[in-house]
Amino acid sequence: MGSVILRKAARYLFPVIMLFSIYLLLRGHNEPGGGFVGGLAAASGFILNQLAFDLQSTKKLMNVESLTLIGVGLLTAMVSSVFTMLDGQPYFSSHWTTIHITPAWHLEIGTPLVFDVGVYLVVLGVTLAILLSISNFRKSSS
């Protein structure tokens, strides 16, 4: 278990790290970032929690199994390519839609964002699976 300073810092830094990972995820189409880097940033928040507290609190904070994240991420990435195939376009072509929120403000969402969300979930799930298996190994060997 970490020091009092580390535990206090982790409580405040975890939400900031998660928001930063979502920022990296959403800016990935036009600038550096995306699902891979965002997923690694999110995993670093859970690693910080693991260092500050213990394995059980990290699992409780995750609230989902890492293998479930991997499966949902792979399914999401696969679904992103199905939309373009239904339109008769080549596999993994971009498909965009516009959501009108107000007459002056609209949001353009495309299949690259859906694919990036899938990559984000896969990277987060794989990294957390590795972290938790190492933590379980360390716990059982001591």
Side-chain angles (χ1 to χ4, degrees), residues 76-122:
T76 304
M78 186 183 75
V79 164
S80 71
S81 63
V82 170
F83 293 125
T84 58
M85 289 175 35
L86 292 176
D87 279 350
Q89 297 175 348
Y91 192 67
F92 275 127
S93 296
S94 295
H95 191 273
W96 294 88
T97 186
T98 303
I99 299 173
H100 296 281
I101 298 173
T102 65
W105 193 61
H106 64 279
L107 181 64
E108 292 185 8
I109 297 178
T111 54
L113 176 63
V114 176
F115 180 77
D116 274 348
V117 168
V119 171
Y120 178 92
L121 293 174
V122 169

Side-chain angles (χ1 to χ4, degrees), residues 17-18 20-22 24-25 33-47 116-128:
I17 292 171
M18 297 310 284
F20 181 65
S21 76
I22 292 171
L24 286 173
L25 168 69
F36 187 81
V37 176
L40 287 177
S44 70
F46 287 102
I47 291 169
D116 274 348
V117 168
V119 171
Y120 178 92
L121 293 174
V122 169
V123 169
L124 179 60
V126 167
T127 308
L128 290 176

